Amino acid sequence: MGVPIAFVLAGIGVIFTFILWGPVGMVMITTHLYSAGLNAILIAVPLFIFMANILEKSDIADDLYKAMHLWFSRIPGGLASGTVIICAIFASMAGISGVATITMGLIAIPSMLKRHYSKNIAVGTVAAGGALGILIPPSIIAVIYGSITETSVGSLFTAGVIPGIIMALIFIVYITVRAIINPAIAPAEKEKFTLKEKLISLKGVVLPFLLILSVLGTIYGGVATVSEAAAFGAFGALFCCAIKKKLNWKIVHSCLWRTFTMTVMVIWITFGAHCFTSIYSLGGASAFVLNLVQGWDISPLVMVWLMMGIWLILGCVLDPMGMLLITIPIFAPIIRSFGFDMIWFGILFIINCEMAYITPPFGFNLFYMRSVVPPDISMVDIYRSIIPFVVLQFFCLLLIIYFPQIALWLPSTMMAK
């Protein structure tokens, strides 16, 4: 019907609360939403969004791309592999998929096409690489998942590091192997650069490294909470923008306004989710579904695969936030009853969200790409370019399902401190 999902979920909660408990139930809703609004972890949302918006204006991506070009251009598929690395770096600074996708779409795609890269490799690399922004921490989706399921967001962040690196490496291996087999699709450059030029280019990596360290390092080291680390990141992004001489009132005003509008959307969605989750549980639906599932004669792993299938289908037509709000209140109690780790399950969900970002017909990154690619690249070309990368994402999903320690090892070391 075109109604925003926040109001759909909140509306269902309000209507059924009134049906079950009458006017007195309205007081329950306001009390519950007030408590939800006091959740300190939500402070991280506007701070991470602001950090991403500022970084988009800072031109850090230009310096990173120049460094990757000097170091990797003579390797088959080197520019595409370097683009994946930059997307991974941006992911660990921003936490939003769109920043890396749009920025690298404007910088990397024209550069690769100019050097005779296949448009499928060029476009697919940026679309899939940009999606790493919701897996490699910090991740806005992880913050909302943690808030709704009462799971440690810091643990979710650290759990996403190794799977994110593995997925980026899988992309790079795929690109390199394809370029070696068929050099015409991603040719190595013949131009040579001196060691001095390469070393000088590394100064463009210093600011991103310090920013990543200020966010993830403080969380992992126990120096700061997620919200405090988000504040470090926001300040660090302003500092980076100032160092690059891009900081001015016009940029700050624009980024603050975008942060405000995006934060309001996220918070309304979160409130709607809490309304829906409360009535779902208090009305007995959660217990009903749980008893129903436990009565089925299927293994817990088969149940997990059923959930993966549902997410794969939903990812074709819904945004990740919609997938989270509709399914997690139903799936989370089932997963807990089977004894699975909610952090591990959260990483599985986020990988599915990453797939949703590039899955036709409504993947967000596909439309981001359409807005930045040259006119001669059609939507069909974009759809075709992401097919192998969706397969690679699914392979990474398999690894995490059957080897949970890939995601759980790093959080366990943090908890042991």
Side-chain angles (χ1 to χ4, degrees):
M1 294 171 61
V3 180
I5 194 164
F7 302 138
V8 171
L9 294 172
I12 290 171
V14 170
I15 291 170
F16 279 89
T17 297
F18 187 82
I19 291 172
L20 292 173
W21 293 289
V24 177
M26 299 298 103
V27 178
M28 293 167 49
I29 288 178
T30 55
T31 303
H32 186 76
L33 290 186
Y34 181 75
S35 299
L38 292 178
N39 188 347
I41 195 64
L42 293 179
I43 296 172
V45 173
L47 291 169
F48 281 136
I49 292 174
F50 179 71
M51 182 172 73
N53 285 324
I54 287 290
L55 287 172
E56 188 179 359
K57 306 290 185 181
S58 68
D59 281 355
I60 284 180
D62 291 293
D63 291 342
L64 285 171
Y65 191 75
K66 182 179 178 181
M68 296 303 162
H69 176 246
L70 265 61
W71 282 92
F72 297 113
S73 61
R74 290 179 58 80
I75 300 171
L79 286 181
S81 298
T83 298
V84 172
I85 295 172
I86 296 172
C87 287
I89 293 172
F90 249 82
S92 56
M93 293 191 294
I96 298 175
S97 170
V99 174
T101 305
I102 294 173
T103 304
M104 296 313 299
L106 292 170
I107 297 172
I109 289 179
S111 177
M112 285 190 277
L113 293 178
K114 180 181 176 181
R115 290 166 174 82
H116 308 293
Y117 272 60
S118 158
K119 59 185 176 182
N120 285 345
I121 286 289
V123 174
T125 297
V126 175
L132 290 168
I134 62 170
L135 177 58
I136 298 177
S139 166
I140 300 297
I141 289 289
V143 174
I144 304 304
Y145 174 90
S147 171
I148 292 175
T149 62
E150 299 181 354
T151 304
S152 167
V153 175
S155 296
L156 282 168
F157 277 6
T158 53
V161 173
I162 295 177
I165 292 172
I166 288 174
M167 187 171 291
L169 289 175
I170 289 172
F171 290 167
I172 291 170
V173 169
Y174 163 76
I175 292 166
T176 305
V177 170
R178 278 205 65 187
I180 291 173
I181 294 172
N182 184 6
I185 65 170
E189 284 195 50
K190 296 180 180 179
E191 184 181 0
K192 291 185 178 181
F193 301 100
T194 66
L195 180 60
K196 182 180 178 181
E197 288 176 314
K198 292 180 178 181
L199 292 175
I200 291 174
S201 72
L202 290 179
K203 68 180 182 180
V205 181
V206 174
L207 284 177
F209 175 77
L210 291 176
L211 186 59
I212 294 166
L213 188 64
S214 70
V215 178
L216 300 185
T218 53
I219 294 174
Y220 181 77
V223 177
T225 65
V226 172
S227 299
E228 291 165 347
F232 279 125
F235 178 79
L238 285 170
F239 179 76
C240 292
C241 199
I243 291 293
K244 297 294 294 178
K245 298 181 180 179
K246 293 290 182 179
L247 189 64
N248 57 57
W249 172 243
K250 184 178 179 180
I251 284 178
V252 172
H253 180 272
S254 170
C255 291
L256 284 172
W257 178 252
R258 288 176 64 188
T259 300
F260 170 73
T261 55
M262 293 173 70
T263 301
V264 169
M265 178 188 71
V266 171
I267 298 301
W268 267 113
I269 288 173
T270 304
F271 281 175
H274 277 285
C275 271
F276 178 78
T277 303
S278 298
I279 191 63
Y280 182 81
S281 299
L282 294 173
S286 180
F288 171 77
V289 172
L290 190 57
N291 291 332
L292 182 66
V293 169
Q294 288 176 337
W296 295 349
D297 188 21
I298 60 174
S299 72
L301 196 57
V302 171
M303 177 56 65
V304 169
W305 273 113
L306 285 174
M307 293 176 181
M308 298 302 110
I310 291 170
W311 281 337
L312 185 62
I313 295 169
L314 288 179
C316 296
V317 293
L318 279 180
D319 64 282
M321 198 67 76
M323 291 166 57
L324 187 154
L325 300 179
I326 291 172
T327 62
I328 293 301
I330 301 170
F331 291 174
I334 299 171
I335 289 297
R336 284 195 176 100
S337 72
F338 283 131
F340 288 118
D341 192 294
M342 288 304 295
I343 296 172
W344 168 76
F345 188 67
I347 297 303
L348 295 183
F349 172 72
I350 293 171
I351 293 175
N352 274 276
C353 289
E354 189 174 338
M355 294 171 67
Y357 263 98
I358 62 171
T359 306
F362 296 120
F364 275 17
N365 277 16
L366 306 181
F367 295 104
Y368 291 148
M369 293 306 303
R370 189 69 189 95
S371 68
V372 297
V373 296
D376 60 322
I377 295 179
S378 67
M379 203 67 195
V380 174
D381 292 327
I382 295 173
Y383 285 166
R384 190 180 295 117
S385 72
I386 54 84
I387 292 172
F389 291 96
V390 173
V391 174
L392 295 174
Q393 288 174 332
F394 186 77
F395 175 70
C396 187
L397 182 69
L398 284 174
L399 288 178
I400 307 303
I401 289 176
Y402 290 103
F403 302 96
Q405 283 305 309
I406 293 174
L408 297 178
W409 174 75
L410 199 56
S412 69
T413 64
M414 184 177 71
M415 293 172 187
K417 293 182 179 182

